[in-house]
Amino acid sequence: MKKIGFLILLAAFCASSIALANPKIQAKHKGHKKDGKMINCTYCHTTAKIEKKKGYGIALINKNPFCTGSGCHPVK
């Protein structure tokens, strides 16, 4: 019974995480890879260390070495 409750909570957490993430960002990076890894929320917020806060602008992303280069945000 505890396992079923845990799985239900886990599913609810995953669903809410996807719903709250920015759909425009997800759509822009859908199917894209960098260094063989899928570019998704986990990649951006762990590997690229992008902060989870409103208004984190493209100017800051353009300075991030994980987000610049071929096929990614151009360095300006």
Side-chain angles (χ1 to χ4, degrees), residues 39-59:
I39 298 175
N40 54 25
C41 300
T42 303
Y43 179 87
C44 292
H45 294 297
T46 57
T47 306
K49 295 182 174 71
I50 294 174
E51 292 182 52
K52 291 183 182 180
K53 70 179 188 180
K54 193 171 186 171
Y56 193 88
I58 193 73

Side-chain angles (χ1 to χ4, degrees), residues 57-68:
I58 193 73
L60 292 171
I61 290 171
N62 283 336
K63 294 177 184 176
N64 187 324
F66 288 97
C67 299
T68 56

Side-chain angles (χ1 to χ4, degrees), residues 3 7-8 10 26 33 35-37 45 49-51 58 61 74 76:
K3 288 182 182 180
L7 290 175
I8 291 171
L10 182 62
Q26 288 184 354
K33 290 185 177 184
D35 301 327
K37 297 179 183 177
H45 294 297
K49 295 182 174 71
I50 294 174
E51 292 182 52
I58 193 73
I61 290 171
K76 292 182 181 185

